[in-house]
Amino acid sequence: MMKLSKMHKRLLAVGALMPMAAMAQEAAQPAKGQLETVTVTAQRRAENIRDVPVSVSMLKDEKLDVIVSSGQDIRVLAGKTPSLNVESSNGRTFPRFYIRGYGNTDFSVFASQPVSLIYDDVVQENPILKGFPMFDMAGVEVLRGPQGTLFGRNTPAGVVKFESAKPHLKGIDGYYNVSYATHATTNVEGAVNVPLSKEWAMRVSTLRQHRDGYVDNTFTGKKDELEGYNEHAERVQFLYQPGGSFNALFNLHQRSTGGSARLFRANMIKKGTNEVVDGFNPNEIHTNGQNFQNLNTKGANVRLSWDLGPVKLFSITGYETVGNYVSRGDIDGGTPTGTGFIPFQVETAGGISDMKQYSQEFRVESKNAGPLNWQTGLYYFNEDASGFTNNFNSDTGVQFSHLSSRQKNTAWAAFGSLNYAFSDAFTVRGGLRYTKDKKDFNTIKRENVVQIGPDSFGESKNKANWDLSANYTVNKDVSVYARVATGFRAPSIAAASANAPITVADAETITSIEAGVKADLFNRRARVSMSVYDYDVKNQQLTVVGGNTNVTRLINAAKTKGRGVEMDFEGFITNDFKVSTSASYNYTQLRDPSLSVQTCRQCTVTDPLNAAGRAIIDGNALPQAPKWIINASARYNFPLAEGNLFILTDWSYRSKINFFLYESKEFTGKAMTEGGLRVGYNWQGGKYEVAAFGRNITNTQRITGGIDFNNLTGFINEPRQWGVQFKGSF
């Protein structure tokens, strides 16, 4: 391990276009009962996870396969690493990410989030793009804390970084993966790598997912009408590797999904509690509203690299489009006759009629053999998006309003970082980024919407942010680090509604301090990392949703405080018994005595109220920010003559959460524990595997979000599933 560590330090700058895939192929296999070396690209270079002065987790291989086996979407990542939460009020198409409690509950198609999602080195800025499925993955990295100097857009909370498996020239190979589960849930995934010549290779990957509707609509009398979906996605990649100084990777991808929108269940919450009402049946709903969701996206990227001797040059070009997105649902969740109190009939359809995103990055990194290395670059981002909201009378189906808007966003940045190794044991890193961001927002068309205030807004902001970190190798197995980092999120603009004007939230900034230790234990039989952090956010952008007039508007909080502890552990108890556990404690608090918001119509508010009857939210935790996230798994292998029988179980826990900025008894989500079980057999060195599995095996049912303007409406988590899976490689 000492030789590996020194090699990594001397070759910090020797990146590759596909560093994770290349190093994974070339790394020596660990001995039985030893953990493999985990390589991450948190600093835009391939490095041992132990040498990176950032709190980072990696999900790959079996860890990733187990949690996605039941056909779930990207929300399945919630709670699977420390400090990460993912949720949505739009179902599969619009995930919202939170790291260390820091995120954004905005459901507008123009929303920005402080957690950036990077897919194959290209930022997915619009929330609709962030739901692109996980398939044929090399790995998922979760980088906690501000990452603003090296990554392109809005990263003050952190980055979730996806890397797909890449083509190679070594020969034809691939895999297939098929599962079938409860509610006819089908997940079919596969990929094939084909060398086309000595210099060209192609990799084709595909995903097909289906679930039958399993929720009966007791109003229409239709059985199994709702909560089904059909999803398919494809990715085609071409590698050009002539063997000299130049490499190129071309990526084409698309996604198409359709099915049910989120089911909002009227008056499902018992007054004065956060319990479901007596007699609640998750397999039934009583609604007269239409419910459907459709989405089509397409994209392409080109990644080029030139090895010029003393430096290496990279170019990353990305293009993403949303050709059609619409989600329609009955947001009050009921009919004129119930269930429960339904003061009026309202049904909403929202979506994107057109969205185009273009990004370009040029980056140069040094290849010095000495102690000093650096990287620098330029980044450009352009987005043009048009979205709409339509309101309908659920009882008659008649549309009574329409509002469409357009946002143009242009940004550019210059960035650089330096690494200096004072010795083999002590390395210091520093980064600086200057960003200029401009948004122009316009109302395009209004029908039966009397807009308050102007029809257009423009915002422009520039900011420099920085980070500084130090990493010290105590011995060949242990390193410690400390990091100070700042981050920046540009101003956001929210569309008008019948009761609110266009609103603008000013730019927010964060200063974060963290320190940690990472260690390989017992001759690499175990690995542990721990970190502590403290951050302050100034002018945090917050979204006020609902209240008794059903408005969505943006505000800023003067200050938000966050602090916490994170831990990751995995290891072999015996050569055939492996365990892992992770945990995080995240404390968040809004600090702004002047800030108040409207409250729900029917619920029991626990915050103090001001003279206007608005809730004072000073001192509240951020919404969707659990204090505790705990994850644990255990895998036992039984070697047999021709293969291996194994049993695996995994469990995740999160503590209670607030759904909104104010606190109430009804709109506080209870603590939730979900477990998985997998029993299987693999043979021919793992080439083939068959398994039976269960997800949410205790059938835990929790309210995970709410609609507060009308009644005690909520929505719930995914149901229990049992299934079987077969996968093979060639």
Side-chain angles (χ1 to χ4, degrees):
M1 281 301 296
M2 176 64 80
K3 290 183 179 179
L4 266 177
S5 178
K6 288 183 177 179
M7 180 179 69
H8 279 151
K9 289 175 180 176
R10 286 195 294 265
L11 301 181
L12 279 170
V14 186
L17 187 61
M18 298 79 67
M20 294 200 317
M23 291 193 69
Q25 291 165 6
E26 295 170 6
Q29 291 297 312
K32 188 174 183 180
Q34 284 189 328
L35 297 173
E36 66 176 5
T37 299
V38 177
T39 303
V40 296
T41 55
Q43 302 287 308
R44 306 299 298 273
R45 305 172 187 266
E47 299 173 278
N48 187 325
I49 194 170
R50 199 188 63 217
D51 297 330
V52 178
V54 174
S55 179
V56 56
S57 296
M58 166 72 88
L59 292 171
K60 59 184 295 188
D61 301 332
E62 186 176 57
K63 279 186 178 180
L64 199 55
D65 180 58
V66 164
I67 63 176
V68 302
S69 59
S70 61
Q72 290 193 43
D73 59 275
I74 205 167
R75 290 172 293 168
V76 77
L77 294 176
K80 300 305 186 292
T81 71
S83 301
L84 176 66
N85 190 27
V86 191
E87 57 85 30
S88 175
S89 56
N90 290 56
R92 299 171 67 85
T93 59
F94 194 130
R96 298 187 289 241
F97 291 80
Y98 307 79
I99 293 180
R100 295 176 171 173
Y102 183 11
N104 185 8
T105 59
D106 193 352
F107 54 82
S108 162
V109 295
F110 303 107
S112 71
Q113 298 180 359
V115 178
S116 186
L117 189 138
I118 310 292
Y119 211 124
D120 287 335
D121 277 341
V122 176
V123 67
Q124 308 294 297
E125 175 66 9
N126 189 283
I128 302 301
L129 297 175
K130 295 185 178 187
F132 194 86
M134 298 178 289
F135 63 104
D136 193 22
M137 302 299 298
V140 177
E141 295 178 37
V142 179
L143 285 57
R144 295 177 282 269
Q147 308 295 326
T149 59
L150 290 178
F151 293 94
R153 294 279 302 166
N154 293 331
T155 63
V159 168
V160 179
K161 190 172 184 292
F162 292 77
E163 193 72 22
S164 62
K166 299 298 180 289
H168 59 81
L169 298 170
K170 295 181 180 180
I172 296 176
D173 61 33
Y175 75 97
Y176 46 88
N177 187 344
V178 180
S179 68
Y180 184 84
T182 309
H183 308 309
T185 303
T186 307
N187 193 77
V188 179
E189 178 184 338
V192 59
N193 181 88
V194 181
L196 303 175
S197 70
K198 292 182 179 180
E199 298 177 338
W200 285 89
M202 176 179 69
R203 188 176 186 92
V204 180
S205 314
T206 186
L207 174 72
R208 293 291 187 274
Q209 293 178 321
H210 167 84
R211 182 169 73 186
D212 284 352
Y214 65 90
V215 176
D216 300 336
N217 189 343
T218 57
F219 177 79
T220 63
K222 293 182 179 179
K223 293 282 189 180
D224 299 332
E225 182 181 15
L226 300 168
E227 284 286 22
Y229 57 80
N230 285 290
E231 174 100 63
H232 72 79
E234 295 82 33
R235 182 167 51 240
V236 180
Q237 300 177 86
F238 294 93
L239 170 68
Y240 176 58
Q241 192 170 321
S245 62
F246 176 70
N247 288 276
L249 182 65
F250 306 91
N251 179 314
L252 300 169
H253 51 271
Q254 67 173 13
R255 177 195 187 191
S256 177
T257 185
S260 291
R262 201 70 195 253
L263 291 188
F264 303 118
R265 300 167 183 268
N267 296 299
M268 70 169 294
I269 307 171
K270 186 182 295 185
K271 180 78 171 177
T273 76
N274 58 358
E275 303 278 353
V276 297
V277 294
D278 297 338
F280 174 76
N281 185 348
N283 297 324
E284 291 182 353
I285 193 171
H286 191 77
T287 177
N288 60 344
Q290 295 189 40
N291 181 286
F292 62 86
Q293 195 170 77
N294 293 299
L295 170 66
N296 290 283
T297 69
K298 292 181 174 64
N301 57 69
V302 179
R303 288 186 275 180
L304 311 175
S305 69
W306 294 265
D307 190 334
L308 304 180
V311 299
K312 195 164 189 177
L313 172 65
F314 296 87
S315 170
I316 304 169
T317 306
Y319 182 70
E320 304 288 341
T321 67
V322 178
N324 174 57
Y325 169 63
V326 61
S327 183
R328 180 167 172 171
D330 185 0
I331 60 172
D332 67 356
T335 73
T337 59
T339 307
F341 176 64
I342 310 291
F344 51 86
Q345 292 291 297
V346 61
E347 182 182 330
T348 296
I352 292 177
S353 54
D354 184 54
M355 195 283 295
K356 296 179 177 63
Q357 174 194 294
Y358 171 78
S359 60
Q360 175 64 55
E361 179 179 308
F362 295 107
R363 182 167 56 92
V364 182
E365 63 180 38
S366 66
K367 296 171 55 183
N368 298 329
L372 177 66
N373 273 285
W374 52 266
Q375 56 181 308
T376 186
L378 297 171
Y379 179 80
Y380 175 78
F381 174 88
N382 181 274
E383 179 192 73
D384 189 345
S386 297
F388 64 90
T389 301
N390 298 328
N391 288 311
F392 304 83
N393 183 307
S394 296
D395 193 27
T396 64
V398 174
Q399 180 177 326
F400 61 81
S401 72
H402 168 82
L403 180 70
S404 55
S405 307
R406 182 180 185 183
Q407 178 174 276
K408 295 181 179 181
N409 183 194
T410 302
W412 66 268
F415 62 91
S417 70
L418 292 173
N419 306 334
Y420 190 82
F422 287 91
S423 67
D424 285 342
F426 183 55
T427 302
V428 174
R429 310 183 187 206
L432 180 67
R433 187 185 194 97
Y434 177 84
T435 302
K436 184 173 180 61
D437 192 288
K438 186 176 187 298
K439 287 189 175 79
D440 291 302
F441 191 93
N442 296 277
T443 298
I444 300 172
K445 186 177 181 181
R446 288 178 283 128
E447 295 177 359
N448 295 323
V449 176
V450 180
Q451 182 170 321
I452 303 169
D455 279 350
S456 62
F457 270 90
E459 283 291 321
S460 181
K461 212 78 166 183
N462 55 278
K463 182 70 176 178
N465 55 273
W466 54 270
D467 60 53
L468 181 65
S469 61
N471 193 77
Y472 181 73
T473 302
V474 179
N475 56 45
K476 67 182 182 67
D477 294 321
V478 181
S479 65
V480 295
Y481 76 92
R483 183 173 187 257
V484 182
T486 66
F488 160 72
R489 182 156 67 111
S492 298
I493 304 176
S497 68
N499 300 298
I502 295 173
T503 53
V504 180
D506 199 3
E508 69 186 21
T509 59
I510 182 175
T511 302
S512 171
I513 302 172
E514 71 176 70
V517 57
K518 302 179 183 183
D520 292 332
L521 307 173
F522 314 120
N523 190 29
R524 288 179 58 194
R525 291 185 65 85
R527 179 183 297 121
V528 66
S529 65
M530 294 189 68
S531 59
V532 295
Y533 70 87
D534 185 280
Y535 68 74
D536 291 298
V537 182
K538 292 184 179 180
N539 291 326
Q540 183 176 353
Q541 301 174 25
L542 301 172
T543 303
V544 180
V545 296
N548 55 21
T549 56
N550 189 31
V551 300
T552 301
R553 60 190 179 90
L554 300 176
I555 59 175
N556 287 97
K559 186 175 181 180
T560 303
K561 185 70 178 177
R563 61 178 181 268
V565 182
E566 297 153 339
M567 182 274 293
D568 255 320
F569 171 84
E570 63 176 336
F572 285 95
I573 305 300
T574 70
N575 287 353
D576 293 305
F577 183 34
K578 184 180 180 181
V579 299
S580 67
T581 184
S582 66
S584 59
Y585 172 80
N586 305 125
Y587 172 84
T588 62
Q589 186 183 60
L590 290 166
R591 295 184 178 180
D592 191 337
S594 67
L595 211 54
S596 64
V597 299
Q598 290 184 336
T599 64
C600 45
R601 183 184 291 267
Q602 302 293 329
C603 71
T604 309
V605 178
T606 57
D607 285 327
L609 304 181
N610 62 16
R614 295 161 60 90
I616 300 170
I617 62 174
D618 180 52
N620 286 359
L622 291 173
Q624 295 291 339
K627 282 189 176 180
W628 288 98
I629 292 176
I630 301 172
N631 190 267
S633 69
R635 186 187 195 277
Y636 197 89
N637 188 67
F638 301 88
L640 302 175
E642 301 296 331
N644 295 278
L645 178 68
F646 66 88
I647 182 169
L648 185 152
T649 185
D650 66 294
W651 294 83
S652 61
Y653 166 85
R654 65 129 175 92
S655 57
K656 70 176 185 178
I657 54 174
N658 294 330
F659 297 156
F660 304 109
L661 292 171
Y662 64 85
E663 295 183 351
S664 69
K665 292 183 178 180
E666 292 84 355
F667 292 116
T668 300
K670 296 174 66 175
M672 181 166 66
T673 302
E674 289 187 327
L677 181 65
R678 185 179 182 87
V679 179
Y681 176 75
N682 59 57
W683 65 99
Q684 289 194 25
K687 187 175 181 179
Y688 302 103
E689 180 177 299
V690 61
F693 65 85
R695 303 303 302 170
N696 190 13
I697 58 176
T698 58
N699 205 23
T700 298
Q701 179 182 282
R702 289 290 184 267
I703 305 164
T704 56
I707 304 294
D708 69 342
F709 77 93
N710 193 338
N711 49 39
L712 299 178
T713 293
F715 45 88
I716 58 176
N717 61 310
E718 290 289 300
R720 176 168 58 192
Q721 287 189 309
W722 300 105
V724 293
Q725 183 179 18
F726 177 74
K727 56 183 180 179
S729 59
F730 56 90

